[in-house]
């Protein structure tokens, strides 16, 4: 008859302590959800104007771009504005953390699920600006590009 290996008392105490700690954490999460009404953040991309991304003119030469980053594109993929325009960029993400960098400008934002980041840029020279994702976001990260066309 094989002798059963005895579990040392210290291991039993460690396991019991861990179980009590886990139970306490779950109880606190349940208490916060039920008594304090704490919930997971709402999804920004479920509400306009972030449902599909958009560019709207708010005044002559002024635009607002609501950009949604998602695996692995930006919506809208192309933004066209006339030269001399000032664009307010509001950026969010539909899935994971992305980046939003417009080459040739100071705009360099994070696209974060559940949050909106902001920057403003003025485009005085006609031409094309690439929009790059600068946060590794998965297999298609290297293809995640957008474009801003500044027309004469
Ligand atoms: Cu999106 Cu990298």
């Amino acid at each position: 008859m094989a002798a059963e290996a005895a579990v040392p008392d210290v291991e039993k105490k460690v396991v019991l302590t861990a179980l009590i700690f886990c139970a306490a954490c779950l109880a606190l999460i349940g208490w916060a959800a039920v008594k304090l009404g704490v919930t997971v953040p709402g999804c920004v991309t479920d509400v306009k104007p972030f449902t599909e991304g958009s560019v709207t003119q708010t005044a002559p030469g002024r635009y607002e771009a609501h950009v949604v980053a998602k695996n692995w594109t930006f919506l809208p993929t192309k933004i066209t504005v006339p030269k001399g325009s000032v664009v307010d960029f509001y950026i969010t993400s539909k899935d994971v953390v992305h980046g939003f960098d417009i080459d040739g400008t100071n705009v360099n934002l994070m696209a974060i699920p559940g949050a909106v980041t902001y920057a403003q840029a003025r485009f005085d020279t006609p031409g094309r600006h690439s929009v790059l994702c600068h946060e590794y976001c998965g297999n298609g990260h290297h293809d995640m590009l957008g474009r801003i066309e500044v027309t004469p």
Side-chain angles (χ1 to χ4, degrees):
M1 182 170 157
E4 204 172 291
V7 177
D9 279 350
V10 67
E11 284 188 20
K12 289 178 185 171
K13 287 177 184 168
V14 166
V15 169
L16 184 64
T17 303
L19 289 174
I20 291 170
F21 184 75
C22 287
C25 287
L26 289 174
L28 280 173
I29 290 169
W31 175 76
V34 174
K35 291 291 185 189
L36 300 181
V38 175
T39 62
V40 291
C43 202
V44 176
T45 51
D46 287 345
V47 294
K48 285 192 171 198
F50 291 105
T51 48
E52 53 195 15
S54 64
V55 179
T56 51
Q57 186 171 11
T58 56
R62 289 297 303 262
Y63 294 84
E64 277 187 8
H66 295 89
V67 178
V68 177
K70 65 176 198 173
N71 284 348
W72 286 280
T73 187
F74 296 102
L75 300 176
T77 54
K78 181 180 165 191
I79 295 170
T80 304
V81 293
K83 83 170 189 184
S85 297
V86 175
V87 183
D88 294 302
F89 291 95
Y90 298 90
I91 314 296
T92 192
S93 171
K94 198 176 181 68
D95 38 45
V96 298
V97 173
H98 297 275
F100 183 86
D101 179 76
I102 305 173
D103 78 343
T105 72
N106 289 334
V107 177
N108 184 344
L109 297 170
M110 303 291 287
I112 304 166
V116 177
T117 53
Y118 168 81
Q120 187 182 76
R122 181 181 178 93
F123 297 94
D124 284 324
T125 310
R128 173 188 285 192
H129 297 265
S130 293
V131 178
L132 309 168
C133 176
H134 58 73
E135 289 291 321
Y136 181 72
C137 54
N139 288 345
H141 165 72
H142 61 284
D143 283 331
M144 189 163 171
L145 299 168
R147 192 164 31 135
I148 296 174
E149 295 278 350
V150 182
T151 58

